[in-house]
Amino acid sequence: MTVANQKGGVGKTTTAVNLAAALSMHGQRVLVVDLDPQGNASTALATEHRAGVPSVYQVLVDDLALSSIVTPVPDMPGLFCAPATLDLAGAEIELVPMVGRETRLKRALANFEAMEFDYILIDCPPSLGLLTVNAMAAAQEVLIPIQCEYYALEGLTQLLQNVELVRVHLNQTLSVSTILLTMYDGRTRLASQVAEEVRSHFGDTVLDAVIPRSVRVSEAPSYGQSVMTYDPGSSGAMAYMEAAREIAYRAAALHQP
Ligand code: ADP
Ligand code: MG
């Protein structure tokens, strides 16, 4: 599942990390692939990603095996991270002349049979460049976090057009399966208006669970933790747990005979 939205600061990384943590806490084997040069997901998952550490960059550009960079997340059984380093910023350009530049990650995942995962979540950078295209080409589903703020829907048409282009040209099974409303502030009318508008546009694609704006959610990464372990009883942790539950039930319903 690729977590994508070309807007920055809408909760992509927070969503990827906390959904992954929630699923792993329910006994699933989960991998987070950090595809953002900023490496925020790697930080939140306490995974080493200083310059020089083998990372997704080498996987995409130098054909390093994905299995060689997958790292267990400390104190989180079943949760793993493929870290990103700042080198990855260069990949956006270095990939351009390469053969199969849009499908480098897809190939790396296809050759990655050694470790079996129930879920692989890919955290995208805030752009629609080659890294995000690689993430979409490699995934079965796209999860779009939408921040419940003004301008939330701006750029969504372009994002959906990109998903469609990738579907037609690179990955026929791709779909936008999930939309998650994030940073919901119940005190504002604006938040409920945005939520209503998103639901009326996208119907069942939108999860019932809504992630509230919560300080605990934003504090957790500075402790190298997800909010799921940092403060399991907080409103943010409970909302991500509920979102993970919905995603798991949807997957189970899809795989019913
Ligand atoms: P993106 O990956 O889309 O750029 P992030 O997940 O990094 O977005 O979130 C942007 C900022 O907002 C971060 O500082 C993060 O800690 C904070 N944040 C994300 N979700 C919440 C939330 N539910 N409540 C409060 N702060 C949040
Ligand atoms: Mg991010």
Side-chain angles (χ1 to χ4, degrees):
M1 189 178 256
T2 281
V3 183
N5 189 329
Q6 76 273 33
K7 287 163 94 81
V10 299
K12 287 182 290 298
T13 301
T14 305
T15 295
V17 164
N18 289 301
L19 284 180
L23 290 163
S24 75
M25 289 162 87
H26 279 274
Q28 304 292 292
R29 279 174 68 83
V30 188
L31 171 65
V32 175
V33 177
D34 190 351
L35 217 57
D36 186 344
Q38 310 261 356
N40 295 151
S42 309
T43 303
L45 295 170
T47 303
E48 189 72 74
H49 65 107
R50 16 173 202 95
V53 170
S55 71
V56 170
Y57 172 81
Q58 282 86 355
V59 171
L60 293 178
V61 174
D62 299 331
D63 285 323
L64 184 67
L66 185 58
S67 54
S68 67
I69 66 157
V70 167
T71 311
V73 174
D75 305 320
M76 294 293 289
L79 184 56
F80 297 79
C81 176
T85 56
L86 271 175
D87 305 322
L88 197 54
E92 200 81 70
I93 291 161
E94 287 165 55
L95 284 173
V96 171
M98 288 191 170
V99 175
R101 62 189 176 191
E102 294 100 349
T103 49
R104 309 282 298 184
L105 183 63
K106 185 188 180 115
R107 233 170 45 131
L109 282 167
N111 293 330
F112 179 58
E113 287 155 356
M115 302 164 97
E116 287 197 349
F117 287 101
D118 298 299
Y119 294 89
I120 299 177
L121 296 172
I122 307 172
D123 185 30
C124 287
S127 76
L128 291 172
L130 267 177
L131 290 171
T132 297
V133 170
N134 264 272
M136 289 180 180
Q140 292 167 358
E141 302 176 31
V142 179
L143 183 160
I144 303 177
I146 295 183
Q147 188 182 0
C148 296
E149 299 269 329
Y150 198 52
Y151 298 134
L153 302 175
E154 208 177 62
L156 214 53
T157 310
Q158 201 191 357
L159 176 58
L160 295 174
Q161 277 168 0
N162 273 257
V163 173
E164 185 56 17
L165 279 172
V166 171
R167 196 185 64 75
V168 170
H169 295 288
L170 299 168
N171 181 5
Q172 279 157 25
T173 54
L174 186 69
S175 71
V176 176
S177 64
T178 313
I179 290 176
L180 178 62
L181 296 165
T182 62
M183 292 184 237
Y184 185 88
D185 185 345
R187 295 167 305 181
T188 69
R189 258 178 68 77
L190 180 62
S192 58
Q193 279 168 358
V194 170
E196 219 168 277
E197 195 174 337
V198 170
R199 287 194 192 282
S200 72
H201 258 83
F202 296 100
D204 285 347
T205 306
V206 188
L207 294 182
D208 291 336
V210 172
I211 311 303
R213 185 175 280 286
S214 140
V215 181
R216 307 305 265 168
V217 171
S218 55
E219 281 172 355
S222 58
Y223 297 89
Q225 285 191 46
S226 70
V227 76
M228 312 311 300
T229 52
Y230 175 64
D231 190 350
S234 64
S235 59
M238 292 196 295
Y240 272 116
M241 193 56 91
E242 192 48 44
R245 197 192 317 271
E246 278 185 66
I247 287 169
Y249 275 116
R250 285 177 174 204
L254 269 180
H255 295 121
Q256 290 285 315

